[in-house]
Amino acid sequence: MYAYILKRLLLMIPTLFGIVLVSFLIVQAAPGGPVEQAIAEITGMQGSATERIAGGGHETMGGAGMLKQANSTNTSSKYRGAQGLDPELIARIEKMYGFDKPAHERFFKMLNDYSHFDFGESFFRSEKVVDMIFARLPVSISLGLWTTLLVYLVSIPLGIRKAVSDGEAFDIWSSAVVVIGYAIPSFLFAVLLIVVFAGGSFWNVFPLRGLTSEGWELMRWPEKILDYFWHMTLPIIAMVISGFASMTMLTKNSFIEELSKQYVLTARAKGCTERQVLYGHVFRNAMLIVIAGFPGAFLSILFTGSLLIEIIFSLNGLGLMGFEAAIGRDYPVVFGTLFIYSLLGLVVALISDLTYVLVDPRIDFESREV
């Protein structure tokens, strides 16, 4: 098993390299980068933001002076909308965002920085990307962790109960509830929860925004815990309601398949009770496929499924930060979050394989090709 773990860890290096390389190539071909946005701002397409460029840490002239010099020059440029701007100004903007070097130099510099987790600074926030990620990580981990745990705590017992009573009244009406829950988008249910429980049209029981209340640092630790879960209740409920349906049906189908196998008939013939058959023989085999879906479920909730929930409940998490960075072409944040997402995905996949062995020791990854 140790050799298998070592192989998987070593394979993470070329995998991360490939992900970063493909993403870097795609970004190079994508229009509307930070240089184009700065040019658009200078020329008045997106409002005036010349002060940011003028004060970007380089020896530059004032915003009005830049516009005056730009309008007095008529040159062609590789950037859209840059016709008529002074080439010196374009070069100054390129240097400000690190685009004054060839693409391959920028790529290898990025790899060198990422090798010791230096993701640089945001183009537009003047913050280190690492600090931005760690500041927003508690929100995303809170949503992802508690939602995944609740989904599994609800889905596994419900799926087992549905498998045991397949075709009976409980299975039929619970299937209707599961289908309805799956059909309701999480963001729509979140709006409903706000209307009912967060001061909309009925009760004002839960807070509308934020992860904690003001003055949270001054609270005693029991009050901190209560305040934290008070804020997280509505967002987590909104995410759980549409997340447990697929896991419930997966658990049910897995148990039904195992219940029809020969070893179950043999166990019953030996006089085992239904509880012994279900939890002593079937459970371990049926749970393998459920465990296999854990990494995907966790990462989906952690990084993508929470985006709209973060927006609705004003939670500043990684999903919202990554989305805003992609829209604003804030490349250091985009690449930094992508690297973290990929690394976490690979680590969680390895943890999933190790969990397989804990559930069923007969599985031996050591004798298989990675």
Side-chain angles (χ1 to χ4, degrees):
M1 178 56 70
Y2 293 107
Y4 173 77
I5 295 174
L6 180 60
K7 289 179 183 178
R8 289 292 297 270
L9 291 175
L10 292 176
L11 279 173
M12 289 182 185
I13 298 175
T15 303
L16 287 172
F17 175 82
I19 293 172
V20 173
L21 176 61
V22 172
S23 304
F24 184 83
L25 294 175
I26 292 175
V27 164
Q28 299 309 303
V35 176
E36 286 90 340
Q37 292 194 18
I39 291 172
E41 291 176 0
I42 291 175
T43 55
M45 294 163 134
Q46 298 178 359
S48 177
T50 53
E51 292 301 325
R52 186 184 77 229
I53 300 171
H58 307 285
E59 233 181 85
T60 61
M61 64 187 69
M66 285 196 300
L67 285 174
K68 183 178 179 181
Q69 183 177 3
N71 291 331
S72 65
T73 309
N74 187 15
T75 60
S76 60
S77 174
K78 61 182 178 180
Y79 298 108
R80 184 175 58 183
Q83 288 76 14
L85 293 183
D86 185 4
E88 183 181 345
L89 173 60
I90 302 298
R92 191 179 303 148
I93 298 173
E94 287 180 329
K95 186 175 182 180
M96 176 180 174
Y97 292 114
F99 283 82
D100 55 329
K101 299 180 178 64
H104 67 278
E105 289 187 18
R106 287 186 278 119
F107 176 71
F108 286 111
K109 181 182 182 302
M110 183 174 68
L111 287 181
N112 180 60
D113 293 339
Y114 282 20
S115 65
H116 48 275
F117 293 93
D118 179 9
F119 303 119
E121 291 189 358
S122 168
F123 283 159
F124 309 117
R125 295 177 183 265
S126 298
E127 294 181 64
K128 288 186 176 181
V129 176
V130 172
D131 295 337
M132 294 175 64
I133 291 175
F134 277 107
R136 291 156 179 79
L137 202 56
V139 173
S140 296
I141 289 180
S142 296
L143 290 174
L145 179 63
W146 296 119
T147 301
T148 305
L149 288 177
L150 285 177
V151 165
Y152 271 74
L153 288 175
V154 172
S155 301
I156 292 175
L158 181 59
I160 295 174
R161 181 71 176 85
K162 286 174 65 61
V164 173
S165 60
D166 185 37
E168 299 178 3
F170 175 83
D171 180 44
I172 295 173
W173 70 258
S174 60
S175 294
V177 173
V178 167
V179 170
I180 293 173
Y182 183 76
I184 299 176
S186 58
F187 72 90
L188 186 61
F189 193 72
V191 173
L192 176 63
L193 290 175
I194 290 175
V195 171
V196 177
F197 296 108
S201 302
F202 296 92
W203 300 283
N204 188 9
V205 180
F206 295 99
L208 182 59
R209 63 185 67 240
L211 188 63
T212 56
S213 301
E214 293 184 7
W216 186 81
E217 296 81 4
L218 303 177
M219 298 179 183
R220 295 176 298 175
W221 68 265
E223 296 174 339
K224 289 183 177 181
I225 294 175
L226 290 175
D227 183 76
Y228 166 77
F229 282 107
W230 183 46
H231 282 77
M232 293 303 299
T233 298
L234 294 187
I236 291 174
I237 291 176
M239 296 180 68
V240 167
I241 195 66
S242 61
F244 78 95
S246 58
M247 188 58 62
T248 298
M249 300 309 297
L250 177 64
T251 304
K252 174 191 173 183
N253 294 334
S254 179
F255 271 82
I256 288 177
E257 181 181 355
E258 293 297 324
L259 286 171
S260 63
K261 291 185 177 179
Q262 184 63 40
Y263 74 88
V264 175
L265 299 177
T266 303
R268 287 171 176 166
K270 289 182 178 180
C272 294
T273 64
E274 284 299 312
R275 186 176 184 85
Q276 290 174 331
V277 170
L278 193 62
Y279 293 103
H281 298 276
V282 175
F283 185 83
R284 176 180 293 176
N285 296 328
M287 285 304 295
L288 288 176
I289 190 172
V290 177
I291 292 173
F294 178 82
F298 177 75
L299 292 178
S300 175
I301 293 172
L302 183 62
F303 297 131
T304 59
S306 61
L307 174 59
L308 292 176
I309 299 299
E310 290 177 10
I311 295 174
I312 292 172
F313 289 99
S314 300
L315 297 171
N316 198 6
L318 289 178
L320 181 58
M321 184 186 74
F323 174 76
E324 291 176 344
I327 295 298
R329 301 296 194 272
D330 196 345
Y331 292 154
V333 178
V334 172
F335 286 125
T337 52
L338 177 64
F339 185 85
I340 295 296
Y341 295 168
S342 303
L343 181 60
L344 285 177
L346 294 172
V347 171
V348 171
L350 176 59
I351 294 174
S352 176
D353 287 348
L354 299 180
T355 310
Y356 268 122
V357 179
L358 292 176
V359 175
D360 190 351
R362 296 172 299 174
I363 297 176
D364 183 16
F365 289 107
E366 193 85 24
S367 60
R368 302 182 183 183
E369 293 293 331
V370 179

